[in-house]
Amino acid sequence: MSILTPDRVRIHPGSATQEEALQEVAALLVGAGAVTPAYLDAMRQREQTVSTYMGNGLAIPHGTNEAKDEILASALCVVRYDGGVDWAGDPATFVIGIAGRGDEHLEILSQIAITFSEEDDVARLAAATTPEELYALLSAVND
């Protein structure tokens, strides 16, 4: 099963607040059947403890460890906000929502971290003009 599907990749020309971004990625994960609606609160709780901003314009919101019961399946969603998101003081462009069953989230996180560690790769992701193009660049996470 693919953890990232084309219907869970979005590009917005404008900006969003951190709360709006959290709501959007949580809704995408709920829509995918990956998490229960309670997962959004777990994402908010994690942000209160530690920011999920990773650098290079990337935030990877995910739930707390206590929220494992809210995760029904591993899934990923990617939302690019070309106007940016103020992520607790850091400028995020990419917000990647993650739900990982068991220890799968660690593997998913490391794949994303590798992709976003290369500035050339990030530039390509930022230059993608359609969600389909963005998905194609990120589909390696399904391997």
Side-chain angles (χ1 to χ4, degrees):
M1 184 188 132
S2 296
I3 59 165
L4 181 65
T5 53
D7 59 316
R8 293 199 300 272
V9 178
R10 296 193 177 161
I11 296 175
H12 295 303
S15 59
T17 65
Q18 182 174 349
E19 176 61 23
E20 288 165 344
L22 283 174
Q23 287 177 12
E24 181 164 11
V25 295
L28 284 167
L29 292 173
V30 169
V35 300
T36 69
Y39 194 69
L40 173 58
D41 278 333
M43 287 177 143
R44 289 182 182 126
Q45 283 165 7
R46 179 170 292 280
E47 295 300 334
Q48 286 165 6
T49 316
V50 58
S51 172
T52 57
Y53 181 77
M54 300 293 167
N56 268 357
L58 171 67
I60 311 182
H62 50 288
T64 56
N65 293 336
E66 293 74 39
K68 288 274 183 237
D69 294 346
E70 310 305 331
I71 299 173
L72 311 172
S74 293
L76 208 56
C77 62
V78 178
V79 185
R80 192 180 84 197
Y81 297 94
D82 291 345
V85 179
D86 178 343
W87 204 268
D90 291 302
T93 303
F94 292 91
V95 180
I96 300 185
I98 288 187
R101 291 281 291 164
D103 290 332
E104 287 178 16
H105 71 284
L106 298 173
E107 194 170 320
I108 298 167
L109 281 168
S110 71
Q111 288 238 329
I112 292 166
I114 290 165
T115 302
F116 278 84
S117 64
E118 295 293 331
E119 283 184 22
D120 291 351
D121 291 342
V122 176
R124 271 194 291 279
L125 295 170
T129 54
T130 64
E132 294 75 20
E133 194 182 335
L134 186 55
Y135 169 76
L137 291 169
L138 290 166
S139 59
V141 297
N142 290 323
D143 297 343

